[in-house]
Amino acid sequence: MKIPINERAKALQVPGIRAFSNQLVDYPDAVNLTIGQPDFPTPEAVKQAGIDAINNDQTGYSHNAGLLELRQAVSSFFSDKYGFTYNPVNEIVITAGASEAIDSTFRTILSPGDEVILPTPLYLGYEPIIELCGAKVVYMDTSDTGFRPSPERLKSLITSKTKAILFNFPSNPTGVTLEKEHMDEIVKVLEEHPIYVLTDEIYSENTFSGEHVSFAQYESLRDRLFLIHGLSKSHSMTGWRIGYVLGPEEIMNHIVKVHLYNSVCASVPSQYAGIEALNNCRHIPDEMNKEYIKRRDFVYERLVGMGLDTIKPNGAFYIFPSIEKYGLDSFSFATKLLKEGGVAAVPGSAFSVYGEGYIRLSYAYAMPVLVEGMDRLEKFIQQL
């Protein structure tokens, strides 16, 4: 006898990113440009802090919101670098990666029937969480506005059912950043409507030129804004699973409850590693960015040289060239590229229907890998 499960869980799909990277087992000689994971090792001092925590038997539970010392380090980092302060006692929660921060926040603020606006194309790890909460995703197309959200379009999408909007800049998958002048216009619209704002700034430290501007720097949004962040990208700590959410005390008191029933607390040795990363290794992202810029410039110039329409990214480690002129949908193009060209890329459709006509390439790989990948891609395109 079959016992039914949650229909929302049944409807979940494996993300296109993973679907293509998982195919690599059948193509062992393919060049993999799918996964957004730094290829740099975790800094030695950070690793040693984790090792020391284990050796010192600091392996039990922490406070549900995380070690106060780590919350203080998070608060100090944003205060020192971006000029805004969150109280480490009651406005910061340490989570098992930024993904869990997003999950706990959405599960706290969303009710069935609510609507959440997502500027697209975007990382599709957000949509399943929203739908599991019984809420509805409303896409905002940015493919015709330079991958930046239009204030006018945002205003037109807000309804009585709109509960929240989520921003992700620097962007996955486009690498686009938002300048302050553009953010000012977006904030003007948000100030007119009582909706929550989630801002996933996990790639903020991977901004290549100019200064990253955070939505948390706008005081008018602070009573309904949740800043999502973590150490996975900035310090090459994806597997350590340290993220955090910063927000107003009144709602953070509820987020910490959802978080504790999810995971009790983040890994304690990882939390001690996080303290070291934020207090003593703030220079690490700049060192990695020097290499990312070299890789970005190489990949961008090769793509343009192949005749692919491409916006030069200013952050993260992704590039999003258009393949529309080849007459194939992005899934077919990526499949053909893998099977015949020996390069694994992510179809743009994995990032919503508004990513159709593009592919995403990650340049979080060593230069020899990128050289081989671009050589194969060029050869493949020449044969289309």
Side-chain angles (χ1 to χ4, degrees):
M1 180 176 66
K2 274 194 173 182
I3 303 174
I5 65 169
N6 187 333
E7 289 298 322
R8 293 172 185 163
K10 190 187 295 186
L12 294 177
Q13 301 291 322
V14 175
I17 302 171
R18 294 294 174 183
F20 264 82
S21 63
N22 291 345
Q23 287 187 55
L24 286 170
V25 67
D26 298 320
Y27 299 92
D29 296 326
V31 175
N32 180 12
L33 301 180
T34 65
I35 299 298
Q37 177 170 258
D39 68 329
F40 302 98
T42 300
E44 289 300 321
V46 175
K47 289 193 286 188
Q48 190 59 53
I51 293 169
D52 289 345
I54 294 170
N55 287 336
N56 293 331
D57 294 323
Q58 293 167 321
T59 55
Y61 296 129
S62 72
H63 187 288
N64 296 125
L67 295 167
L68 180 58
E69 189 179 354
L70 177 53
R71 286 179 277 149
Q72 290 169 333
V74 171
S75 179
S76 295
F77 169 77
F78 285 107
S79 177
D80 294 346
K81 184 159 187 181
Y82 296 107
F84 56 80
T85 302
Y86 281 83
N87 188 331
V89 175
N90 50 31
E91 293 185 321
I92 299 174
V93 174
I94 309 301
T95 57
S99 295
E100 197 245 304
I102 295 166
D103 178 64
S104 292
T105 302
F106 272 139
R107 288 202 287 146
T108 300
I109 66 173
L110 293 182
S111 299
D114 287 341
E115 294 180 352
V116 180
I117 297 173
L118 299 180
T120 59
L122 85 169
Y123 173 62
L124 281 189
Y126 308 125
E127 182 176 0
I129 298 172
I130 294 167
E131 292 178 342
L132 281 171
C133 293
K136 176 186 175 183
V137 169
V138 176
Y139 289 136
M140 182 202 306
D141 181 15
T142 69
S143 62
D144 59 349
T145 55
F147 298 128
R148 293 172 176 84
S150 158
E152 295 76 21
R153 192 167 291 167
L154 168 59
K155 194 168 186 176
S156 72
L157 293 175
I158 296 175
T159 71
S160 60
K161 293 183 178 181
T162 304
K163 176 65 73 69
I165 182 169
L166 184 147
F167 297 102
N168 170 222
F169 293 98
S171 164
N172 175 9
T174 67
V176 164
T177 55
L178 284 186
E179 297 76 21
K180 186 177 185 303
E181 294 75 16
H182 193 102
M183 293 181 71
D184 288 346
E185 296 302 312
I186 294 291
V187 171
K188 285 180 183 177
V189 176
L190 295 173
E191 288 173 342
E192 298 172 359
H193 300 277
I195 61 175
Y196 290 115
V197 178
L198 278 72
T199 176
D200 180 355
E201 300 179 21
I202 191 73
Y203 294 102
S204 68
E205 306 316 294
N206 302 116
T207 299
F208 303 141
S209 64
E211 295 293 327
H212 172 75
V213 181
S214 172
F215 278 99
Q217 290 170 268
Y218 292 85
E219 189 62 34
S220 61
L221 300 180
R222 281 288 295 269
D223 64 341
R224 53 196 171 100
L225 179 137
F226 303 96
L227 171 59
I228 308 295
H229 215 289
L231 297 172
S232 290
K233 315 299 183 179
S234 63
H235 288 75
S236 196
M237 295 177 65
T238 52
W240 294 79
R241 307 315 299 139
I242 291 295
Y244 21 90
V245 53
L246 298 76
E249 175 185 358
E250 179 183 1
I251 305 169
M252 295 300 290
N253 288 335
H254 300 293
I255 287 178
V256 75
K257 291 184 293 184
V258 175
H259 158 70
L260 78 87
Y261 285 119
N262 187 338
S263 59
V264 180
C265 66
S267 161
V268 170
S270 293
Q271 289 192 58
Y272 280 104
I275 293 168
E276 178 66 22
L278 288 169
N279 285 347
N280 301 315
C281 297
R282 293 186 184 180
H283 61 287
I284 292 298
D286 287 339
E287 293 180 2
M288 293 194 293
N289 285 346
K290 292 176 184 177
E291 185 62 28
Y292 287 142
I293 291 170
K294 293 178 185 176
R295 298 173 183 182
R296 176 204 62 181
D297 291 348
F298 168 76
V299 172
Y300 174 75
E301 290 166 8
R302 288 294 303 272
L303 293 173
V304 171
M306 297 176 206
L308 296 177
D309 293 330
T310 309
I311 292 177
K312 190 174 186 177
N314 188 45
F317 28 69
Y318 310 107
I319 196 163
F320 206 56
S322 172
I323 48 88
E324 188 174 13
K325 67 181 182 181
Y326 294 104
L328 295 170
D329 64 79
S330 60
F331 188 90
S332 298
F333 184 96
T335 300
K336 193 176 180 69
L337 175 60
L338 175 61
K339 293 181 177 180
E340 300 177 15
V343 178
V346 183
S349 57
F351 305 98
S352 86
V353 295
Y354 298 107
E356 185 53 74
Y358 298 86
I359 58 171
R360 192 196 75 174
L361 302 170
S362 169
Y363 52 88
Y365 294 90
M367 191 62 79
V369 177
L370 297 176
V371 170
E372 179 65 21
M374 292 303 100
D375 288 346
R376 293 187 184 189
L377 176 58
E378 184 169 24
K379 183 179 179 180
F380 171 78
I381 286 175
Q382 291 172 346
Q383 295 173 348
L384 283 178

